[in-house]
Amino acid sequence: MKLEGVSVAGIETCIEVPALRLVLDMGRCTRGAVQQPVVLVSHGHLDHMGAIAQHAARRSMLHMSEGTYLVPAAVARDVEELFNAAGRLDGQAIPRRVVPLSPGEPFPLSKGRWVRAFETYHRVPSQGYTVWERRHRLRAEFRELPGARLAELRNSGVAIEEARDVALLSFTGDTRIEVLERTPELQQTETLVMETTFLDQLVTVESARGMGHIHLSEVLERAPLLPRGHLVFSHFSARYSAEDVQRIVRERLPDELRPFVKLFGAGGEFTA
Ligand SMILES: [Zn+2]
Ligand SMILES: [Zn+2]
């Protein structure tokens, strides 16, 4: 799944997912992000949501549908107040839809697709999100049958298909590593966008935890829990240049994880 935008710890995070018509966090309102009507907000730190009013106002100016902002229920009221204050400053109300979403609660995106929040562990109220899709396939006992026979069975009312829910994309936002053990869907998801703020001894695991973030060492210790689709490390500390990130991850990554890992930083996505 193609991701665009930016993500640097403490500076700005705004990750566009055009295929799903949504954006992960809104710390900066990029041109591409304005096109996407739904924003999944992981928490209230300004580098993750400081540009929501701009996003909503720009959509309105361009005569687009109002933006929808899914936010942790604990911050919904403050988010509304932020929109109200921004509207007063701007001299006009800002059309938007703020949706307080609690972990486990589904929000429909399109036919057969929905998003559900999961708990994360940061310094302020926070949550991550998974986009789910319901897919249908033939039940095992019918898979060898010719098409004509299947049509016959279907017409006679036999349920020849079964539904299964597939996790398309999961986004952790800012969190400590516990999220990986406590959220089983992260091990199955097709694309996992995970913060990996600190990468080496520049910051210890202990102080990374103190700041409510993940250290690469913690990720590598949990390799068996990582999904084998696309694993996107993001939200690197501003202390690392893009070259540092590439070099350190390349040095530290075991061969078994190499094929799955992508990096997402100041200039969008790049390879390890
Ligand atoms: Zn952050
Ligand atoms: Zn944060």
Side-chain angles (χ1 to χ4, degrees):
M1 197 166 298
K2 195 169 166 223
L3 305 176
E4 290 170 51
V6 287
S7 180
V8 181
I11 311 285
E12 54 195 5
T13 290
C14 170
I15 303 174
E16 303 155 40
V17 193
L20 298 176
R21 304 218 56 217
L22 53 81
V23 190
L24 311 172
D25 280 338
M26 188 54 64
R28 164 149 71 107
C29 185
T30 59
R31 271 168 188 262
V34 176
Q35 310 296 322
Q36 312 306 337
V38 177
V39 181
L40 311 183
V41 177
S42 65
H43 64 298
H45 281 155
L46 290 178
D47 57 311
H48 289 262
M49 54 82 76
I52 50 173
Q54 225 181 359
H55 181 264
R58 230 182 266 171
R59 285 185 63 83
S60 161
M61 190 180 75
L62 296 168
H63 308 290
M64 298 169 127
S65 62
E66 64 179 6
T68 297
Y69 305 86
L70 307 194
V71 304
V75 308
R77 188 200 265 200
D78 287 338
V79 170
E80 285 286 8
E81 279 178 25
L82 186 151
F83 273 117
N84 290 337
R88 285 194 298 274
L89 288 165
D90 202 40
Q92 53 196 328
I94 298 175
R96 79 282 180 171
R97 179 177 176 210
V98 176
V99 181
L101 201 70
S102 298
E105 212 181 320
F107 177 85
L109 288 176
S110 57
K111 191 170 180 292
R113 270 190 198 157
W114 64 98
V115 62
R116 225 162 38 206
F118 55 85
E119 258 182 88
T120 58
Y121 313 92
H122 194 37
R123 310 195 300 273
V124 292
S126 65
Q127 62 194 21
Y129 298 91
T130 295
V131 176
W132 294 87
E133 182 174 83
R134 177 151 296 181
R135 287 186 193 157
H136 298 272
R137 62 178 174 191
L138 281 178
R139 287 177 183 276
E141 62 266 41
F142 299 121
R143 278 178 208 153
E144 306 297 318
L145 298 181
R149 177 71 186 127
L150 290 174
E152 216 175 270
L153 285 167
R154 184 185 278 123
N155 292 337
S156 66
V158 177
I160 59 172
E161 288 187 327
E162 60 189 358
R164 64 195 177 109
D165 295 342
V166 178
L168 294 183
L169 171 82
S170 300
F171 169 57
T172 66
D174 288 5
T175 180
R176 295 188 183 90
I177 191 71
E178 286 86 309
V179 72
L180 208 52
E181 278 102 356
R182 297 186 189 170
T183 320
E185 73 214 38
L186 299 190
Q187 299 170 32
Q188 313 293 333
T189 189
E190 292 186 349
T191 298
L192 172 59
V193 181
M194 182 165 62
E195 76 124 292
T196 314
T197 307
F198 301 107
L199 302 172
D200 63 359
Q201 72 292 345
L202 195 66
V203 169
T204 63
V205 166
E206 202 186 348
S207 37
R209 291 188 58 76
M211 291 181 263
H213 288 301
I214 294 176
H215 194 291
L216 181 61
S217 299
E218 299 175 292
V219 178
L220 300 182
E221 281 164 15
R222 290 164 179 78
L225 298 182
L226 299 168
R228 295 302 192 259
H230 301 281
L231 182 54
V232 183
F233 294 156
S234 66
H235 194 268
F236 306 113
S237 163
R239 298 179 216 191
Y240 303 108
S241 69
E243 291 71 33
D244 291 339
V245 172
Q246 257 171 324
R247 177 181 47 80
I248 299 167
V249 174
R250 204 183 297 136
E251 279 169 13
R252 302 202 58 195
L253 212 57
D255 286 342
E256 48 153 334
L257 288 181
R258 247 168 244 281
F260 310 110
V261 171
K262 284 246 164 55
L263 308 172
F264 192 98
E269 198 175 277
F270 57 112
T271 46

